[in-house]
Amino acid sequence: MYNRRPAYGYGLVTDGGLRWLLWALLVLLSGCAGNSAVKPGATPPDLGARLVILVSDDSPAFTNIADAIQRRVRSPAEVHVLNSDARRTRGALQAIQRSPRSTVVAVGLPAALAARGLTGKDMVFCQVFNYEAHNLISPSMKGVSAVPPVVEQFRTWKSVDPTLRRVGVILGGGLTSLVAEARQAAKLNNLDLAVVTVRSDRELLYAYKRLNSRIDGLWLVPDNRVLSTSVIQELMSSSIRQGKRVLVFTPELIRFGATLSVDTDPDDIAARVLGRLATARGGRIAGPPVLSLGVLHAQINPAVAKAVGLSSERLRREIQ
Amino acid sequence: MSIATTTATWAARLSEWRVWLRLPRRQSLVGRLLWLQLLWAAALYALMVTGLWWISGNLIENNLRIQAQQWVAELDAIGIPLFVSRDKRHLAQIEARVQHFPEIAFVRYYNADGTRLVGEYRVGHLPEPPAFDAALVAEVKAQAGADNPYVFDDRALSQSCVRLLYPVTVKSIRADGLIGYRPDHDAAESMKVIGYIDLGMDMAYYKDRLFKVLAVASSVIAFFMALLVMLGRHSVKKALQPLTSLQQPLARLAHGDVDVEVITLSGDAEIVAISDALNTTIAALRERDLVLRRMADYDPLTALVNRGYFLRILDDEIQRIEQRGGSSAVFFVDLDQFKYVNDTLGHASGDRLLVQVSQLFTARMRDGDVVGRFGGDEFLILARNIGRDGARDLAKALNNLMRGFHFVEDGQVFNVYCSIGVAMVDSGRAATNELIAQADIACHEAKRRGRNRYHLHELADKQEARMAADVSYSRLIKEALSGDTFKLHYQPIVSLNGGRERIYEVLLRLPGMDGEMISPTAFLPAAERFGLMGDIDQWVITHAMAELGRQRDAGADVVFSVNLSGQVFEDPNSFQVINETLARYNLSPNSIIFEITEQVAVRHLDRAREIMQSLMARGFRFALDDFGAGFSAFSYLKHLPVQFIKISQEFIESLANDVVDRAMVKSIVQVARALGRQTIAEYVQDARTIDLLREYGVDYAQGYFIGEPLAQLADAHSVAAAVDKGRNVVH
């Protein structure tokens, strides 16, 4: 099942509105997350009253999640926005620690890192990509994935670009779970995956140039350690010049030449966060360290699709 | 060595160089302009070449800086693996990339501390790159993240190297900043320096190439500058050609040639104006020259050709006859009654008579004939292409013409006749002066035979002997002038009334063939006939003043009385000689007395009076010689500005025995005193005469009794003794 996201209105796809269309695909991944599937509205009615939401900053990527959680609880949750303010962070943590509210949702890495110091609370983090490098997983702290399941990303990518055979991903070290998931997903989607580990954005760029001849497409993951704005832009322009397809993590990069973007759904994340908290018992949260997402938003760049040999007819049929 | 000596030495050297370089002593305007042009061209060339080198050097440096910035960006991109993999094989790729660019002297990759090389490329023959010390590391590190994140190390310029140091950086977005990433919003990034690039660009490589190019360019510029200088030289010469063309006519003009015309070759307004002005000046000079020539060649009273011009015409005629043959005749005409008219009616009437006679002669003669005034009442006529018979006929006709002429003045009628001497111009056997002398002698013969007639000079005439003597004298005179063998004798003139002034008359002597001294009375007529009087006057003036100068230098306070001929009044150069000689010997004009004869003064009355007055204004004094010897009239004394009157010897030599002479002397003295003149008695031969002269009031005396003419100045005491003798004579 797909849902359109009319809120997206980028120039590349809306300009003229006749030649190129913005296709927003909402893929509901029913059953993809196995036993972690949580449906909206299944949250216990009293969860909001004991819930504290610790938000890293007031960027939409985080506040949308907080808002979605608030919409799903009856009683308003206690919300703290840290905004990189150490004093506020200390105050918030002290307040949370003293608060009778026993469950904490940390949105974003700074919030998760701050919440890690709390005791006696059941905590779930979300919107954290590199949770492994920061050792966020503990019995009382679990997470919800920041990216859609890799297998679904590849499946979507493959569905719109069946000729895709060889893909590469360049990322920083320590993301072993993601790499393992990616290898499994590639195999399932009949893709050859090349994984390159780098330590800096400049090295990533160099690695990409070396990798370029061996791949059909690049899977760009949001590893902030090895990406910079300039390198992202150079990667995108280089990919266009080289005719490479690029799967990106945000539709914002579609206009820079990405072929396809896959994004998360705040409501999906909120539902899964609350679902995980619902399973908390005595300081322990059941389930895997990080719960996969069940919904992804996919958006394809028609211009790029055409350039790489994808016809609108085919694209439309795949979507339909 | 003093400054003056040094300056003189250098001036001498410069002079030698100018001679050696054959440079003109005075530089021309064209040359000066060309030199200026050359200097400007050289200065411009030096400026251009210097500027070219300076600008090129700076361009190279700036260009290398820009290249270094571009290179470092590329080296940053391709050098990343050195910081990541430490794989030295990658360095080979970098070397392969840069080795084709000889301007790259070295590339060094340093680690994040700047302490260790992670990769290096160097061109072997170049010097060791400068050190990358801690201070420099800190400076370069501080540039990380800046808009121009590099540092140029100017210390490397001393090695002809542009050195650029660049921090190699990596960036990362803040923790999980890619969640909800929006490229248009500045994502917080952190930067880290992972190493440094030390790049050296070799300026020497470009400079070597540049120098070669500049050397060629300088040569080309020099060639074109030289071409421009040559073109400029041509242009300057062409532009100044009209000015230069003025040089030759102006030089001719400076030498007195007024028959020049300045032709304007250029349309330049200034040149045309100069040319027009010069042509106007030349025309004015030509006009004035014509007037002067006319004044020089023609007699102002009668408008006839004067003696000098007549002689030139006669000379041409002689040459013509020598070349083409034939014969012409020269007529020497002397009016018989002119002095009578002049004395009776005054010189104005005499002048009118001369004018009428000249018109009469001119009207009678043919167009090709020439009528000239020889001086006073003497005329010369050249009748061309005429034989002896024709000459006789013409002489008769002239005599008849004068017989029929009546001069009417103040109601009186005067018959004025003439005596004519004729000399034939044929075969070119006689020179100009000889012909004039022949005609003059023939005229004297006509006068001797009773006047109012003509006489044709014949070679067989008995006058030939006189002619031969004249020719002989003229030869002797010329030899004396050229050989400077004339002698001067000095005869004292003493004061009879106690005056202290010591006066000596300067008398000329011509050494004869046998060494005897010839008196002026013998050779002066010949000198006059042969036109030598002017030269003799100049010789006498020059040598008399020289002797006077010596006497004065020796302490003798003497005065010289110098005789002048009538030629002095016709030749303006004589007075220039007088003034120059006077100045040369530093003499006072007051120590000179000029003697002119009464006849000369009367003949050139107006001119003589004018010149005498101008000389007297300077301090010279004049004496009227031989007064009473001719047709003297006391009235002339009123008009002649003389200080002294020398009483003619014919009244003095018999003074002691002749009562008439005594009466004449008394009269002359009375008139002279009335006019404020002093008197000098010549030819004093005895003491009795001195006493009489003193009695009559004569101021000065001169004669053999007092002192004969000697080559040395007579002793003042002996002269005084002679005068004193007169006081002892018993009457």
Side-chain angles (χ1 to χ4, degrees), chain B residues 268-423:
Chain B
D268 295 337
E270 297 86 349
I271 303 295
V272 170
I274 291 171
S275 302
D276 289 347
L278 282 173
N279 279 326
T280 304
T281 305
I282 290 168
L285 287 172
R286 195 179 293 150
E287 185 70 24
R288 198 174 70 177
D289 193 53
L290 282 174
V291 172
L292 289 174
R293 279 187 190 176
R294 186 156 192 85
M295 289 173 66
D297 293 342
Y298 289 85
D299 175 55
L301 177 63
T302 61
L304 297 176
V305 298
N306 61 16
R307 173 178 172 164
Y309 191 25
F310 188 90
L311 292 178
R312 293 201 299 275
I313 294 171
L314 181 57
D315 196 45
D316 293 342
E317 183 66 8
I318 291 169
Q319 291 183 20
R320 187 185 71 79
I321 289 174
E322 278 181 359
Q323 293 169 0
R324 300 180 185 176
S327 63
S328 297
V330 177
F331 295 78
F332 196 106
V333 182
D334 190 302
L335 300 185
D336 293 336
Q337 283 81 25
F338 174 74
K339 291 190 189 310
Y340 175 75
V341 172
N342 217 25
D343 294 344
T344 307
L345 301 176
H347 66 272
S349 297
D351 287 349
R352 280 192 287 276
L353 171 60
L354 291 172
V355 170
Q356 289 182 24
V357 171
S358 65
Q359 291 171 347
L360 204 62
F361 288 162
T362 304
R364 173 62 183 79
M365 300 308 294
R366 298 166 297 178
D367 286 344
D369 298 335
V370 180
V371 180
R373 187 182 176 201
F374 190 73
D377 59 346
E378 297 165 343
F379 295 87
L380 286 169
I381 297 172
L382 172 63
R384 301 181 195 271
N385 300 319
I386 192 170
R388 288 181 174 274
D389 293 340
R392 285 194 186 92
D393 292 342
L394 180 56
K396 283 181 191 172
L398 290 174
N399 277 135
N400 290 332
L401 188 66
M402 290 304 294
R403 287 185 196 114
F405 170 68
H406 304 290
F407 178 61
V408 180
E409 188 77 4
D410 292 339
Q412 300 179 63
V413 178
F414 296 87
N415 291 321
V416 180
Y417 305 130
C418 66
S419 300
I420 302 172
V422 184

Side-chain angles (χ1 to χ4, degrees), chain A residues 57 61 109 127-130 146 199-203 206 222-225 227-229 249-250 252-253 255-256, chain B residues 76-77 80-81 83-85 90 168-184 187 189:
Chain A
D57 57 49
L109 181 61
Q127 298 294 69
V128 177
F129 176 76
N130 189 11
R199 287 178 294 184
S200 69
D201 59 335
R202 305 289 307 284
E203 190 179 352
Y206 176 71
D223 187 350
N224 67 289
R225 298 169 300 169
L227 283 178
S228 61
T229 301
F249 50 85
T250 172
E252 295 280 345
L253 294 176
R255 61 191 173 97
F256 287 95
Chain B
D76 180 28
I80 281 296
F83 299 100
V84 176
S85 64
H90 191 74
V168 180
T169 58
V170 294
K171 292 178 183 175
S172 61
I173 296 176
R174 66 163 171 79
D176 278 349
L178 290 170
I179 302 296
Y181 174 70
R182 289 183 294 175
D184 294 335
E189 291 182 329

Side-chain angles (χ1 to χ4, degrees), chain B residues 474-512:
Chain B
S474 74
R475 191 174 300 115
L476 280 174
I477 292 167
K478 288 177 182 173
E479 288 174 0
L481 287 170
S482 62
D484 201 24
T485 55
F486 270 123
K487 300 294 180 188
L488 291 180
H489 285 192
Y490 308 93
Q491 185 174 33
I493 300 174
V494 298
S495 174
L496 297 178
N497 50 20
R500 293 183 172 276
E501 200 167 40
R502 293 177 59 195
I503 304 173
Y504 292 88
E505 181 177 3
V506 179
L507 298 167
L508 185 64
R509 297 289 184 267
L510 175 66

Side-chain angles (χ1 to χ4, degrees), chain B residues 430-617:
Chain B
T432 308
N433 286 323
E434 290 173 2
L435 279 172
I436 298 296
Q438 288 173 1
D440 187 11
I441 291 167
C443 182
H444 276 81
E445 184 62 22
K447 285 182 182 177
R448 193 185 66 78
R449 293 183 181 183
R451 302 179 183 266
N452 192 18
R453 66 186 65 222
Y454 75 92
H455 181 78
L456 177 62
H457 178 265
E458 297 290 347
L459 288 177
D461 264 357
K462 58 183 179 184
Q463 287 82 23
E464 189 60 22
R466 182 178 170 186
M467 182 67 200
D470 276 0
V471 172
S472 175
Y473 277 136
S474 74
R475 191 174 300 115
L476 280 174
I477 292 167
K478 288 177 182 173
E479 288 174 0
L481 287 170
S482 62
D484 201 24
T485 55
F486 270 123
K487 300 294 180 188
L488 291 180
H489 285 192
Y490 308 93
Q491 185 174 33
I493 300 174
V494 298
S495 174
L496 297 178
N497 50 20
R500 293 183 172 276
E501 200 167 40
R502 293 177 59 195
I503 304 173
Y504 292 88
E505 181 177 3
V506 179
L507 298 167
L508 185 64
R509 297 289 184 267
L510 175 66
M513 301 293 288
D514 300 325
E516 79 282 10
M517 289 295 164
I518 303 171
S519 171
T521 52
F523 65 81
L524 284 185
E528 195 162 351
R529 275 192 284 275
F530 282 83
L532 299 170
M533 283 310 299
D535 295 333
I536 292 175
D537 280 333
Q538 289 192 12
W539 192 96
V540 170
I541 290 167
T542 304
H543 288 74
M545 288 193 181
E547 178 60 26
L548 182 59
R550 284 191 289 272
Q551 292 295 333
R552 291 239 163 202
D553 289 343
D557 185 14
V558 296
V559 174
F560 278 4
S561 185
V562 181
N563 290 278
L564 296 179
S565 75
Q567 188 64 31
V568 169
F569 300 111
E570 296 181 0
D571 184 2
N573 288 333
S574 300
F575 292 94
Q576 187 178 352
V577 170
I578 291 171
N579 289 322
E580 288 177 358
T581 311
L582 191 79
R584 188 187 311 159
Y585 297 108
N586 194 25
L587 296 173
S588 166
N590 197 41
S591 61
I592 304 289
I593 299 171
F594 289 122
E595 294 187 20
I596 56 172
T597 63
E598 181 193 7
Q599 290 179 341
V600 167
V602 170
R603 179 184 289 179
H604 307 278
L605 187 62
D606 291 337
R607 176 76 176 152
R609 187 168 51 197
E610 178 187 339
I611 292 171
M612 287 165 70
Q613 282 174 339
S614 64
L615 284 173
M616 285 174 63

Side-chain angles (χ1 to χ4, degrees), chain B residues 644-663:
Chain B
F644 302 97
I645 296 171
K646 295 188 79 171
I647 303 168
S648 179
Q649 68 177 63
E650 66 183 84
F651 301 119
I652 304 299
E653 60 185 348
S654 303
L655 187 67
N657 306 314
D658 191 330
V659 293
V660 177
D661 288 344
R662 292 180 191 170

